């Protein structure tokens, strides 16, 4: 069994919580580590193919837990491109689990992820 610290998207030196998993791949995507700022605007690296600009769905971090690392990686990126409700539906359709963070510091999780995740940062609230 592994205990994995999930990074806080607004403070890269702080943890959001601890995820306990066994025999699963865990991948997190978000725009808070790879970005640049220009003229007061932050541009991150996850590009919305519809607009050609960085994704702006309100989802700022997506951690996906599933059997395959490649699938977990693809789903975590897709979750940033979708609103939370659609992202959770997508993840469930692949028999995976997710922890999603929105820009208002709300945590949205699949049921199983909620059983595996312990929040340690009081700035965030479960929705």
């Amino acid at each position: 069994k592994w205990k994995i610290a999930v990074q806080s998207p607004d403070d890269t030196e702080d943890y959001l919580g601890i995820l306990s998993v066994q025999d699963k791949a865990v991948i997190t995507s978000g725009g808070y580590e790879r970005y640049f700022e220009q003229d007061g605007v932050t541009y991150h690296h996850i590009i919305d193919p519809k607009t050609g600009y960085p994704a702006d769905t309100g989802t700022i971090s997506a951690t996906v837990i599933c059997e395959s690392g490649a699938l977990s990686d693809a789903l975590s990126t897709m979750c940033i491109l979708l609103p939370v409700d659609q992202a959770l539906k997508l993840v469930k359709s692949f028999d995976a689990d997710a922890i999603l963070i929105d820009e208002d510091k709300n945590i949205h999780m699949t049921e199983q992820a909620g059983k595996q995740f312990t929040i340690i940062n009081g700035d965030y609230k479960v929705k």
Side-chain angles (χ1 to χ4, degrees):
K1 194 168 205 174
W2 289 90
K3 291 189 184 278
I4 300 166
V6 176
Q7 182 176 306
S8 171
D10 69 337
D11 181 354
T12 57
E13 295 188 19
D14 194 12
Y15 298 121
L16 173 63
I18 304 296
L19 180 62
S20 297
V21 296
Q22 185 170 342
D23 299 327
K24 300 280 184 174
V26 178
I27 302 288
T28 299
S29 291
Y32 46 88
E33 286 203 13
R34 294 185 190 144
Y35 65 92
F36 70 92
E37 293 182 21
Q38 182 174 339
D39 300 326
V41 178
T42 301
Y43 297 91
H44 62 77
H45 72 289
I46 302 175
I47 304 300
D48 184 336
K50 294 177 186 172
T51 67
Y53 286 93
D56 186 20
T57 61
T59 305
I60 62 170
S61 177
T63 299
V64 174
I65 306 113
C66 69
E67 299 293 328
S68 161
L71 179 59
S72 187
D73 187 29
L75 288 174
S76 66
T77 301
M78 284 299 303
C79 286
I80 300 295
L81 297 170
L82 296 169
V84 167
D85 59 335
Q86 291 178 26
L88 289 173
K89 187 182 289 187
L90 174 69
V91 166
K92 289 178 191 176
S93 75
F94 283 91
D95 196 29
D97 290 292
I99 302 163
L100 308 177
I101 312 302
D102 69 29
E103 57 195 3
D104 296 321
K105 296 187 175 186
N106 295 311
I107 303 170
H108 309 266
M109 296 181 277
T110 58
E111 184 178 343
Q112 184 60 32
K115 294 176 183 177
Q116 297 171 282
F117 188 61
T118 303
I119 300 165
I120 60 174
N121 186 325
D123 292 341
Y124 293 83
K125 304 293 178 224
V126 175
K127 277 288 183 173

